[in-house]
Amino acid sequence: MLLPISLANLALSILSKFLPSEVAEHHPHARPPPPNNALDFRLRHMHATTSSARVYFADLPPGGPGAASSTSDIASPPVSIRTSPMRTARPPSFAAIARARYMSMRGQSAALDWDEDDVLGPDVTRRETLLLLAKMTSDAYFMPGASGWYNLTDEWNVGMPVGWEPDDDGFRGYVFATEDNSTVALTIKGTSIPYIGGGPTIEKDKLNDNLLFSCCCARVTSGWTPVCDCFRGDWKCNQECVETALIDDSLFYPTGVNLYNNITVMYPNANIWIIGHSLGGALASLLGITFGAPVVAFEPPGERMAAQRLHLPSPPSTHHITNVWHTADPIAMGTCTGKLSTCGVAGYAMESQCHFGNIIEYDTVTNLSWSVRLTTHPIATVIENILSKPWAAAEEQGLEVPSIKRQDDCVDCFQWEYGNFTL
Ligand SMILES: *[C@@H]1O[C@H](CO)[C@@H](O)[C@H](O)[C@H]1NC(C)=O
Ligand SMILES: *[C@@H]1O[C@H](CO)[C@@H](O)[C@H](O)[C@H]1NC(C)=O
Ligand SMILES: *[C@@H]1O[C@H](CO)[C@@H](O)[C@H](O)[C@H]1NC(C)=O
Ligand SMILES: *[C@@H]1O[C@H](CO)[C@@H](O)[C@H](O)[C@H]1NC(C)=O
């Protein structure tokens, strides 16, 4: 039932947080154990999808990056991330989800027997946690050591795997894991969005983005070539038509499902976290609500409408999903709309505004006097200008990061009418 995909994952290896102290004493470079409630992650694999719609994984050498080229058996230091318990809901099986989606598409009830449980997730109330996760996600855009790469551990020396050429546009990222393989963090870079001043513009991505995040086939004006033929005149849109187009023409979600399944095969007993930026963040959220995985999504476009169009079952709670964004980013805020916007000029209609889960919103418009611009969307902006220093507005309230918000009353595309309209 799944479409073939083209993601490749890599893995990393974790370190020696739990090394007995006698052993640690014999390893002069071994680090002290991390503070309580932290997990140590090491890079294990790289992953990428290519236009051939396949997932590729490249392993990093055992013992951590750098081990292959080094005579030392001491692996590079791990990334230590603080954790906190979070409530998730997992579906009984992938087959049960597929069945529920199938029934929902036919208008039947699709209740699932969710298994609710507390798992360890990243402690998103800590600025340092968000900063580390943002850097891990940012690195999904770069080969180790390339300009733009954030050093998480040691210098890395790995070959360029499939899907990692600068112009490759599919999903890609890294797989990090703890030493005992109990927790795995999957990072996902989005497909290309043409930021002002660069980025490859790939028609396939534009099709995906416009199918997923526009109200009605990205028919912004009569002058646009819509990505599907569901417009029925006068703010009317055929609902079945937009759902069919999304399910038939977009590999976005099935690609992510295959990627996630691949990771569960590699790490059958792991608690899997998914971290993404932009489209990678939207994909992370869709996978997180499907599988009950803790998610941190940076600057994601609104994915709730896509989830409904894909007929994903609704879990009892979405508190395991955390969105982190700032108010000057028109993609996360869903304000990059209209033919004269920077998105519109580039041929994108990213019109959705509603997200699942919790939201940590940095009000850069008010607190930093930023103006709303597409150039504030990149993860590097979030790292350098927001997360790298204390956030005064949160500290005023005795917090490290802004307090959680929700969008439970959000409505997408309110000016549109959806139904079984004909022309
Ligand atoms: C990352 O590490 C490498 C090698 O240790 C070093 O040359 C480079 O300057 C570091 N980059 C940053 C941004 O710190
Ligand atoms: C963790 O998973 C890796 C595969 O990525 C495997 O080689 C290793 O033996 C596993 N370690 C443990 C402690 O299960
Ligand atoms: C990933 O999963 C897909 C199907 O879910 C499978 O066809 C493919 O061989 C797997 N790839 C790897 C590298 O495990
Ligand atoms: C930040 O903006 C909020 C309004 O969103 C305001 O209440 C707060 O005082 C501001 N804090 C700082 C430090 O600018």
Side-chain angles (χ1 to χ4, degrees), residues 226-384:
V227 291
C228 45
D229 192 19
C230 310
F231 179 68
R232 296 292 180 266
D234 208 14
W235 300 101
K236 289 195 171 62
C237 190
N238 186 299
Q239 176 73 18
E240 199 183 320
C241 176
V242 283
E243 289 179 6
T244 305
L246 187 51
I247 289 163
D248 290 351
D249 297 342
S250 170
L251 285 171
F252 186 85
Y253 179 70
T255 295
V257 167
N258 277 5
L259 171 60
Y260 186 89
N261 277 342
N262 285 142
I263 306 281
T264 62
V265 170
M266 294 159 77
Y267 297 98
N269 302 312
N271 173 31
I272 299 171
W273 301 355
I274 314 173
I275 321 294
H277 169 245
S278 190
L279 305 179
L283 181 61
S285 286
L286 293 181
L287 296 176
I289 67 155
T290 304
F291 296 108
V295 165
V296 178
F298 293 95
E299 310 295 332
E303 81 294 338
R304 199 194 288 180
M305 185 169 65
Q308 285 156 355
R309 288 178 178 178
L310 288 165
H311 288 267
L312 302 192
S314 305
S317 144
T318 57
H319 289 274
H320 59 292
I321 313 264
T322 305
N323 299 279
V324 180
W325 72 56
H326 71 86
T327 54
D329 178 3
I331 290 185
M333 302 298 290
T335 52
C336 207
T337 61
K339 62 178 174 170
L340 296 180
S341 72
T342 43
C343 293
V345 168
Y348 282 74
M350 315 263 304
E351 301 166 314
S352 57
Q353 303 188 324
C354 306
H355 302 73
F356 290 111
N358 294 341
I359 297 155
I360 295 175
E361 180 177 272
Y362 288 85
D363 191 354
T364 51
V365 170
T366 307
N367 291 139
L368 298 181
S369 305
W370 288 8
S371 49
V372 175
R373 284 150 48 126
L374 200 50
T375 49
T376 67
H377 176 68
I379 187 75
T381 306
V382 176
I383 293 169
E384 301 295 342

Side-chain angles (χ1 to χ4, degrees), residues 399-420:
L399 302 170
E400 292 186 20
V401 310
S403 53
I404 298 287
K405 297 173 52 166
R406 304 268 308 176
Q407 279 189 320
D408 292 332
D409 298 329
C410 184
V411 179
D412 275 315
C413 302
F414 64 88
Q415 66 277 55
W416 287 85
E417 237 188 295
Y418 295 91
N420 186 21

Side-chain angles (χ1 to χ4, degrees), residues 11-14 44-45 59 62 177-182 266-268:
L12 30 120
S13 59
I14 348 161
R44 293 274 184 89
H45 320 271
D59 291 353
T178 55
E179 184 174 29
D180 61 357
N181 294 344
S182 65
M266 294 159 77
Y267 297 98

